[in-house]
Amino acid sequence: MAKTVVIDPVTRIEGHAKISIYLDDVGEVSDAQFHVVEYRGFEKFCEGRPMWEMAGITARICGICPVSHLLASAKTGDKIQAVQVPPAGEKLRRMMNLAQFTQSHALSFFHLSSPDFLLGWDSDPAKRNVFGLMAADPELARAGIRLRQFGQTVIELLGARKIHAAWAVPGGVRSPLSEEGRTWIRERLPESRATLDIALNLFKRFLDQFGAEAEVFGTFPSLFMGLVGKNGEWEHYGGHIRFTDSNGNIVADGLSEDNYRDYLGEAVEPWSYLKFPYYKPMGYPDGIYRVGPLARVNICSHFGTPDADKELREFRDRVGGVATSSFMYHYARLLEILASLEKIEELVNDPDITSKRCRAEAGINNLEGVGVSEAPRGTLFHHYQVDENGILKKVNLIIATGQNNLGMNKTVTQIAKHYIHGNEIPEGMLNRVEAGIRCYDPCLSCSTHAAGQMPLHVQLVAGDGTVVDEVYRD
């Protein structure tokens, strides 16, 4: 008899979602769906607002990575004003984005995912969270909190606020870094580097311990997309779009965000509010691609900083070149923190970083603009159309998490097929399905985190719609 397993809500991610797992007549998994069950409608209610307000407005889409929307919006405004951002303005924007990578990736690794690694997939769900981590290894938990605090404080030193700082604007940024801020960053960098080294060594040991999970947590061929620099190096702010395949071959390169509609399609499904972007030349759903840390380390030739490049070479040796397992998102996330810290160190010693010439000003010179930036979770596009007065007529946002939607669904299906056989649903399997989603660190809104015991609702539904079994965990 066909049945359905429902996991609702999915926890330790940003936002609300549920998972449905469909069983066939003999109790084997036939399909799975990752549903995003909330609707926010930012694109629509931005219409009618002045273009100059968009950086501040769109930063409020998310409380975890507001800098991503701030920068993508400011870059779109640069295009509409047709201005060249002063060198100091670009370097300051880059520093804030690197700080955001640091704080967001630290949150994902230490707060959301490391309880699975340190406490075990089958451990008591009431303790498998950041508080359980604090009890089991308080020194590591404290170091992770301080690493995230470093990134948050750099953002505050630049934008005067830890979150929702309306600091990057069309044409540049509102203010430079102060000398006091520069001194603070220099003094705190060594501690952050030391914490990152501990986390990297810890995760490498996890790789030996969790080989089985790494094998089935989203191991499949796909394209990878992201920004690279002019020499193919890792990029997070400028550069151009590149697609590669699972063998490392370049599928498309030198693409501009301005004509993203030529190569990106956006499909919709009736069971989710999240769009399903795909690589248009290959069609839907064959044009599946992944973005974010795993994609960025797969598509780039090198980071461009000594220690991160050394770790990248080891990463590629371990995974055999191109990493196709989504479990390796965690590893790639740590490499990006390392690269971010090294690049922050370079920028903090750059004379331009305290220059007061950090903004160009102009009026409306174009009626349309597309901006792109790498968010911690992947490539982010903002596309605005305005009237002669700069009032927004249309807004389209392509969010990183949406671009991983096909990948997340494929990951859930793969894990469910591996661990579910019949009507038995062990706790460890449920957590593994959720953990497969957590590899992508999805950001569905900005509000939901599980503190304490994980709430879970599982239903077994027969083919005729009858609920034949049900489990609650409050």
Side-chain angles (χ1 to χ4, degrees):
M1 180 182 296
K3 296 177 179 178
T4 303
V5 179
V6 179
I7 301 176
D8 183 14
V10 179
T11 57
R12 282 190 278 143
I13 61 173
E14 286 86 40
H16 283 83
K18 72 173 184 179
I19 294 170
S20 296
I21 301 169
Y22 300 96
L23 307 179
D24 61 19
D25 291 342
V26 295
E28 295 295 321
V29 173
S30 60
D31 196 8
Q33 292 176 341
F34 174 64
H35 311 260
V36 176
V37 294
E38 59 189 339
Y39 178 74
R40 304 187 76 198
F42 262 92
E43 292 163 320
K44 194 64 182 175
F45 70 65
C46 286
E47 293 176 5
R49 305 301 305 176
M51 182 276 295
W52 294 273
E53 293 183 355
M54 282 298 281
I57 290 173
T58 55
R60 281 156 176 79
I61 289 176
C62 181
I64 301 299
C65 52
V67 173
S68 304
H69 291 285
L70 188 67
L71 296 184
S73 181
K75 291 183 72 177
T76 310
D78 298 341
K79 296 266 188 74
I80 290 174
Q81 291 190 327
V83 293
Q84 180 73 39
V85 177
E90 179 176 328
K91 290 173 184 176
L92 287 159
R93 286 181 179 180
R94 284 178 175 273
M95 178 179 277
M96 182 177 267
N97 208 28
L98 294 165
Q100 180 189 224
F101 270 56
T102 302
Q103 71 84 15
S104 181
H105 284 353
L107 172 69
S108 174
F109 183 80
F110 288 98
H111 297 211
L112 302 181
S113 294
S114 67
D116 294 326
F117 307 142
L118 285 165
L119 306 178
W121 310 101
D122 300 304
S123 60
D124 182 354
K127 298 178 181 177
R128 197 176 53 224
N129 50 52
V130 69
F131 297 109
L133 175 64
M134 291 167 69
D137 194 337
E139 189 173 338
L140 178 67
R142 193 178 301 113
I145 290 169
R146 283 181 63 81
L147 178 60
R148 184 179 184 227
Q149 181 192 49
F150 171 78
Q152 288 284 78
T153 304
V154 173
I155 292 170
E156 184 179 28
L157 289 170
L158 291 166
R161 302 176 68 174
K162 284 186 170 70
I163 60 170
H164 303 157
W167 168 77
V169 291
V173 300
R174 295 185 188 279
S175 57
L177 178 66
S178 67
E179 285 294 346
E180 293 78 11
R182 190 210 295 249
T183 299
W184 186 92
I185 294 169
R186 281 174 172 158
E187 290 176 349
R188 280 291 296 272
L189 269 168
E191 178 188 339
S192 298
R193 280 293 308 271
T195 299
L196 190 277
D197 290 342
I198 292 170
L200 256 176
N201 290 328
L202 191 64
F203 189 77
K204 290 173 189 174
R205 293 202 296 275
F206 290 150
L207 285 178
D208 299 329
Q209 185 178 347
F210 297 120
E213 282 78 11
E215 193 65 31
V216 297
F217 276 28
T219 300
F220 52 84
S222 75
L223 301 180
F224 298 97
M225 188 196 82
L227 291 171
V228 294
K230 61 182 179 182
N231 296 314
E233 71 272 21
W234 182 81
E235 249 298 354
H236 62 98
Y237 174 82
H240 60 264
I241 300 289
R242 170 181 284 180
F243 283 87
T244 62
D245 64 18
S246 293
N247 295 316
N249 300 312
I250 294 176
V251 174
D253 202 10
L255 301 176
S256 169
E257 66 274 15
D258 293 336
N259 57 346
Y260 72 94
R261 284 176 169 168
D262 292 344
Y263 53 88
L264 291 185
E266 295 182 87
V268 295
E269 295 285 359
W271 41 269
S272 178
Y273 281 119
L274 198 61
K275 294 177 183 175
F276 291 77
Y278 59 98
Y279 180 58
K280 193 177 279 186
M282 293 176 65
Y284 177 79
D286 293 340
I288 178 175
Y289 66 94
R290 286 178 271 187
V291 297
L294 188 72
R296 289 189 289 258
V297 301
N298 277 339
I299 65 168
C300 76
S301 58
H302 61 291
F303 276 107
T305 56
D307 291 343
D309 279 340
K310 179 182 175 185
E311 290 291 342
L312 180 60
R313 288 192 290 272
E314 181 178 340
F315 171 88
R316 287 174 174 166
D317 287 343
R318 284 176 177 268
V319 303
V322 178
T324 58
S325 168
S326 295
F327 189 78
M328 295 303 170
Y329 265 98
H330 300 298
Y331 197 169
R333 213 164 269 130
L334 294 175
L335 297 187
E336 289 199 325
I337 296 178
L338 175 56
S340 295
L341 294 175
E342 287 188 295
K343 289 178 182 290
I344 288 174
E345 186 172 12
E346 290 177 356
L347 286 169
V348 82
N349 291 317
D350 190 310
D352 276 344
I353 212 68
T354 53
S355 169
K356 292 182 171 55
R357 291 186 287 276
C358 51
R359 181 180 181 183
E361 298 190 44
I364 301 299
N365 291 306
N366 289 310
L367 299 182
E368 188 168 6
V370 181
V372 64
S373 181
E374 287 289 344
R377 293 160 185 83
T379 317
L380 173 64
F381 295 84
H382 279 211
H383 180 188
Y384 307 156
Q385 293 177 355
V386 302
D387 66 16
E388 296 288 348
N389 297 312
I391 303 300
L392 287 154
K393 297 169 60 180
K394 189 172 182 180
V395 174
N396 189 36
L397 311 177
I398 302 181
I399 311 298
T401 294
Q403 296 178 83
N404 278 331
N405 201 2
L406 282 169
M408 288 189 288
N409 275 275
K410 205 171 182 69
T411 297
V412 168
T413 303
Q414 186 179 52
I415 294 171
K417 284 185 174 180
H418 185 80
Y419 287 102
I420 296 180
H421 302 284
N423 296 338
E424 295 293 327
I425 309 172
E427 162 62 31
M429 187 289 300
L430 294 179
N431 188 42
R432 284 175 173 85
V433 169
E434 290 190 304
I437 295 297
R438 284 189 212 109
C439 292
Y440 297 86
D441 190 23
C443 184
L444 307 179
S445 64
C446 55
S447 59
T448 303
H449 297 279
Q453 186 163 302
M454 180 188 302
L456 202 62
H457 178 199
V458 180
Q459 285 186 320
L460 291 177
V461 184
D464 61 1
T466 304
V467 177
V468 295
D469 194 9
E470 202 164 15
V471 177
Y472 288 93
R473 188 178 62 209
D474 298 322

